[in-house]
Amino acid sequence: MENMIRNNWTLEEIHNIYNTPLLELIYKAATIHRDFNDTAEVQVCTLLSIKTGGCSEDCSYCPQAARYNTGIDVQALMKKEEVLAYAQKAKDAGSTRFCMGAAWREVRDNRDFDRVLDMVKGVNEMGMEVCCTLGMLTEHQAEKLAEAGLYAYNHNLDTSKEHYNEIITTRTYDDRLQTLDNVRKAGVTVCCGGIIGLGETHADRIKMLHTLVTMPQHPESVPINALVAIKGTPLENNKKVDIWDMVRMIATARIIMPKTMVRLSAGRTDMSVAEQALCFMAGANSIFAGDKLLTTPNPSFDEDNIMFQLLGLKPRESFKAEKEKLKDMVEA
C-alpha cells in the first residue's frame, strides 16, 4: 500500500478526482480511508486563542486583524497557569491534541515567545500532542519549539497561489511555504490546509490541494475549513459554503493523501450530524472540539460525545503515529 503514497500527482489527475460524480467519489475515498486508517477513530483536537486580536495582517476572513472593526476584544498573552488549566479541561473531555493560537504576524524572539515555549513544555508533560499556530517562524525558532516538545505546527496556505493576493497582501505565499520548510527541518510535524468559501474557483481549490500533495512529505494534518463570514471583515457577505463542496474537498484530500489526518474544521457548527457523518465517511478523521475556534463558535464537547456514540466513533489516542512507527521498527 505504501506505493499509493505519491508526491507527483498532476493537476489534471486531481481535477479528475475532484470532479468524480459525488457518490462514486465518496465511495472511493471511503475505500482508501478504510485501507489506510481505522475508520472508527477520530482525532479530537482543542484550539485555544492564547493571544487574541490586534494582528497587523490583513487576512480578509479574519476578525483578529487590527484594521477591521469586528467587536473582538484585544487580549494580551494568557498566563501559563490559565492555559494549562484549559488544556487539562480539554484532556478530561477527550481531547488528545491541544493547539495554541496567537494573533501574531510572526514570532519575535522576546519574553512572550519564551512564555509560549514554557506553555508548550507544560502541555507536552500532560501527555497531549502540542500544536501551535503563531504566524511566520524562522528555522531557529522552529528548533526552539521542537526542543520544548512541540509536536505539530499549523500554518495554513488558505487558498491557491493564484487567488492568495485577493485574500492577503501583508505576506506572500512563498513566506508561508518557507515557514513550513523551517518547521519540517526542525523535525516538527506539519498541519497545513485551507479555507473554502473565500470567493475562489474550483480550480483554486484543486491547485491548493496540488501544492499540499506535491510537498516532499505530505502534511501529517490537513484542516479543511469552511469560511465563517464575520461581520466587519471584507468577506462578511460571502455565501455559506455548500456541504457538498466540503465533502468533495475532504474526499479528494483523502484519496491523494491516504495517511494524512484530514480535519473537519471551521464551519462545523452549521452542519447537522448527518452532514458531519458524510464528511467522516468521505475520509475526515480529525475535528476541533470545544466551544470556540479561536474566536468563532464551535460545537461543545457534549454535543460531539453524543455524535460519536451515535456514529460509533472513538477518540484517537495521543502520539499514535509514533507508536505505530516504533512497532513497525521492532517487527522489522
Side-chain angles (χ1 to χ4, degrees), residues 165-180:
N165 285 346
E166 301 290 314
I167 304 301
I168 302 153
T169 66
T170 45
R171 72 175 117 157
T172 68
Y173 210 67
D174 287 341
D175 287 336
R176 290 193 180 250
L177 293 170
Q178 184 58 58
T179 289
L180 293 169

Side-chain angles (χ1 to χ4, degrees), residues 72 76 81 88 108 134 152 214 219 224 228 231 236 242 248 255 279 292 299 311 318 323:
I72 289 285
E81 295 68 38
Q88 187 61 53
R108 298 181 192 280
L134 314 167
T214 53
I224 306 289
V228 178
K231 193 167 167 38
E236 65 179 351
D242 192 90
R248 199 172 280 284
I255 290 167
C279 292
K292 268 191 173 179
L311 300 179
S318 298
K323 289 168 189 165

Side-chain angles (χ1 to χ4, degrees), residues 33-34 37-43 285 308 311-316:
H33 189 31
R34 180 160 274 113
N37 306 292
D38 179 346
T39 54
E41 239 181 26
V42 173
Q43 183 189 55
N285 60 346
F308 272 36
L311 300 179
L313 298 171
K314 60 182 188 230
R316 174 185 166 102

Side-chain angles (χ1 to χ4, degrees), residues 46-318:
T46 297
L47 175 58
L48 174 68
S49 180
I50 57 170
K51 183 265 169 189
T52 305
C55 182
S56 62
E57 298 272 39
D58 68 353
C59 308
S60 50
Y61 52 80
C62 184
Q64 301 203 62
R67 64 194 72 203
Y68 309 138
N69 184 12
T70 59
I72 289 285
D73 292 329
V74 176
Q75 289 165 357
L77 190 64
M78 287 173 73
K79 292 187 168 63
K80 179 186 170 182
E81 295 68 38
E82 293 175 291
V83 172
L84 294 187
Y86 198 95
Q88 187 61 53
K89 190 177 134 200
K91 186 181 179 183
D92 294 344
S95 264
T96 55
R97 177 178 287 201
F98 190 70
C99 188
M100 297 179 275
W104 290 332
R105 180 175 187 272
E106 73 270 298
V107 172
R108 298 181 192 280
D109 294 303
N110 58 17
R111 275 195 8 230
D112 277 355
F113 183 43
D114 293 338
R115 284 169 63 194
V116 171
L117 293 172
D118 237 17
M119 293 173 196
V120 169
K121 282 180 191 145
V123 178
N124 185 47
E125 282 161 10
M126 291 165 63
M128 295 179 89
E129 294 177 12
V130 199
C131 178
C132 280
T133 179
L134 314 167
M136 292 187 285
L137 277 187
T138 64
E139 211 174 318
H140 178 61
Q141 288 162 343
E143 282 163 6
K144 285 180 87 163
L145 283 162
E147 283 161 20
L150 189 74
Y151 183 83
Y153 195 78
N154 166 265
H155 201 59
N156 289 334
L157 293 177
D158 291 343
T159 187
S160 70
K161 189 167 189 170
E162 289 75 6
H163 187 61
Y164 184 81
N165 285 346
E166 301 290 314
I167 304 301
I168 302 153
T169 66
T170 45
R171 72 175 117 157
T172 68
Y173 210 67
D174 287 341
D175 287 336
R176 290 193 180 250
L177 293 170
Q178 184 58 58
T179 289
L180 293 169
D181 196 38
N182 294 341
V183 167
R184 268 278 174 243
K185 283 181 189 154
V188 172
T189 66
V190 167
C191 175
C192 181
I195 308 170
I196 63 173
L198 302 174
E200 76 287 346
T201 63
H202 290 290
D204 286 315
R205 295 174 187 176
I206 291 161
K207 283 173 185 167
M208 182 190 76
L209 288 171
H210 182 254
T211 303
L212 293 171
V213 79
T214 53
M215 288 175 174
Q217 197 177 335
H218 295 166
E220 284 79 1
S221 178
V222 171
I224 306 289
N225 296 281
L227 174 71
V228 178
I230 306 285
K231 193 167 167 38
T233 63
L235 302 184
E236 65 179 351
N237 296 318
N238 280 30
K239 272 203 340 247
K240 180 177 174 257
V241 170
D242 192 90
I243 180 62
W244 305 115
D245 284 1
M246 280 297 277
V247 170
R248 199 172 280 284
M249 277 297 281
I250 286 164
T252 307
R254 171 54 64 219
I255 290 167
I256 62 178
M257 293 177 275
K259 280 186 153 184
T260 290
M261 306 299 294
V262 177
R263 185 174 305 135
L264 178 57
S265 293
R268 202 161 66 82
T269 359
D270 289 339
M271 292 183 193
S272 67
V273 170
E275 288 172 338
Q276 291 178 68
L278 272 170
C279 292
F280 294 131
M281 188 180 270
N285 60 346
S286 177
I287 57 165
F288 274 126
D291 305 330
K292 268 191 173 179
L293 279 192
L294 295 179
T295 57
T296 52
N298 196 50
S300 71
F301 284 116
D302 292 345
E303 289 172 81
D304 286 333
N305 284 335
I306 292 164
M307 175 175 72
F308 272 36
Q309 283 173 10
L310 178 71
L311 300 179
L313 298 171
K314 60 182 188 230
R316 174 185 166 102
E317 61 176 312
S318 298

